[in-house]
Amino acid sequence: MTAAPHAPIQVLFALQPDSLALDWAGPAEALRIANQALQAQGQPPRFVLRFVGPSSETVSSVGLKLSGLEALPDTLPAPAWVVLVGQPGATISVQTEAAQALLHWLRGLRLQTHRLELMTVCAGAVLAAHAGLLAGRHVTTHHHHLAELRSVEPDCQVVENRVFVEDAPVYSSAGVTTGVDLTLHRIAQLCGEPIAAQVAQAMVVALRRGPQDPELSPFLAYRNHLHPALHRVQDAVSSQPAQDWHLASMATVACTSPRHLTRLFMDHAGIAPLQYLRRIRLALAQTALQSGRNVTQAAALAGFSSDTQLRRAWHQLGEAGTPSNPKLL
């Protein structure tokens, strides 16, 4: 496999009989909406959705007949993701002809970060374990299948009570709707957190993480509401944080008064508009510092008027250390 420069990611959803519909449809819709958001900004789509399987027709878990599936390909371009999903039942049967064909194909995959990666949703991790793809990996699955996963692959570290687990090139999620959480995480990594926030807004997803995951980034936090004017402002600020924003210009985007905009932010997002702006800018500055920029460069990239303004925001928002000491970020 050779990757073309900036090649879109080929995302292959591997479907067999009784594949859980929401396991693949939710992530597929998230990727479709991400492409749409990128194109609205004048960027090319990042994901090519493909649906493959042991046969060209199958029936989903809800009885919907699916046709036109691609055959399991002999070769894959890079970059590519293979997505494995769950099936109904207390355990995952791999004795069927379709399951055996899928496992044979999976065993031929050579996973490699940024080139060929694996995503599992729900009991899709059990299929991956049967194919020998999870040895030495930290993974999770639906809580009903945790013991089964341990039994099938004793050499993997099964992580309980987590929405998703990242152990590149393997990414696993706990089940059903958590496939959307994992997909949003991957969209944020590849397309930027503002795009992921737009996807979550469009899907009306309450963003969440597992109990041991880090707090949500400011780009994804404060978005669990349904107010369209407020989302417009947050989209605008997230897309162009270095712009000369002030309360009046933000209110113009919302088509309301500055006072009413402040009320909307407090009621629906739980944060004041200018504090939200500072958090977005601080997150950008931290990213710039971590990538090797100095304090002056980071402040300018994030939209702070000076080093002093960045340092002031850093301390006001309770960040540890100082901007000039990236080891403490």
Side-chain angles (χ1 to χ4, degrees), residues 89-113:
T91 60
I92 298 300
S93 172
V94 294
Q95 303 308 315
T96 66
E97 183 179 345
Q100 286 296 308
L102 178 58
L103 290 178
H104 176 75
W105 180 72
L106 291 171
R107 291 181 182 119
L109 299 182
R110 297 296 177 262
L111 302 180
Q112 184 179 352
T113 302

Side-chain angles (χ1 to χ4, degrees), residues 124-171:
V126 177
L127 287 171
H130 278 290
L133 297 176
L134 300 185
R137 300 286 177 188
H138 288 75
V139 294
T140 194
T141 189
H142 192 281
H143 56 273
H144 287 164
H145 296 279
L146 291 168
E148 181 183 11
L149 181 57
R150 290 190 180 97
S151 175
V152 173
E153 180 50 272
D155 291 332
C156 75
Q157 181 64 49
V158 178
V159 184
E160 299 185 22
N161 198 27
R162 293 284 289 276
V163 172
F164 58 81
V165 171
E166 180 178 9
D167 190 354
V170 174
Y171 301 78

